[in-house]
Structures are given as structure tokens and as C-alpha cells.
Amino acid sequence: MNTYCPHCNEHHEHEVEKVRSGRSSGMKKVNDRQRKRNSGIGNDGKFSKVPGGDKPTKKTQLTYRCGECGKAHQREGWRAGRLTFQE
């Protein structure tokens, strides 16, 4: 895909790939240990919320890797029901 590279400040051929989710860290404000420790019988406070459902479409998260300098950048995603890559 030929598109703009903010690092080169020019248009070059880019490789497009879907972003994969990384590992969750134990340094989050509310981690699994805290949730387990505070859950029990009765009112669990902030852990007793009713979980919301998934949205019908997810936002796309794409990485564009420049063929010239090799650096990658991301753009704002859009909502899509299905994402397919074509040659």
C-alpha cells in the first residue's frame, strides 16, 4: 500500500498488519489479585458492577510499516465487522 510515512516525510510503499494484543501487566491499578481479594459475599463495591456486553463491531487497529525506513506507525481506526487483507 502506497501511503504517507511521518518518519520519512514522504510517500512510500507500506506493509499493513493487524496489531496483536500484548501481555497484561501486573502493574495495573486493578489487577486480578486485588479483584480476588475483595470479592466475597455481599457488596463488592467497584467489583460488583454488571458486565457490559461486547459491541457488535470492533475498531480496527492497524500498523503501517514503511518499506524505506522500516519504522512503523499507526492511525486512528474505524469500525468494521470483518477485516480481510487482499494482495
Side-chain angles (χ1 to χ4, degrees):
M1 168 180 191
N2 194 31
T3 187
Y4 176 74
C5 175
H7 306 287
C8 302
N9 205 19
E10 293 175 354
H11 281 75
H12 291 297
E13 197 65 30
H14 280 68
E15 196 177 293
V16 182
E17 55 197 36
K18 192 174 178 211
V19 174
R20 291 174 285 158
S21 59
R23 281 191 218 100
S24 61
S25 73
M27 301 293 285
K28 292 189 297 187
K29 189 171 182 182
V30 178
N31 56 21
D32 296 331
R33 289 179 61 238
Q34 186 179 355
R35 188 185 304 270
K36 278 183 195 164
R37 190 172 66 234
N38 290 341
S39 65
I41 298 170
N43 181 15
D44 289 332
K46 64 181 173 180
F47 303 111
S48 64
K49 306 286 190 294
V50 176
D54 286 347
K55 286 189 175 269
T57 58
K58 304 286 184 269
K59 274 202 173 178
T60 57
Q61 190 90 18
L62 300 176
T63 300
Y64 302 89
R65 189 170 299 280
C66 180
E68 197 71 23
C69 64
K71 292 195 176 184
H73 65 277
Q74 293 180 351
R75 293 184 183 155
E76 188 178 347
W78 62 92
R79 292 201 170 274
R82 187 179 299 133
L83 182 67
T84 55
F85 292 107
Q86 296 177 353
E87 287 289 323

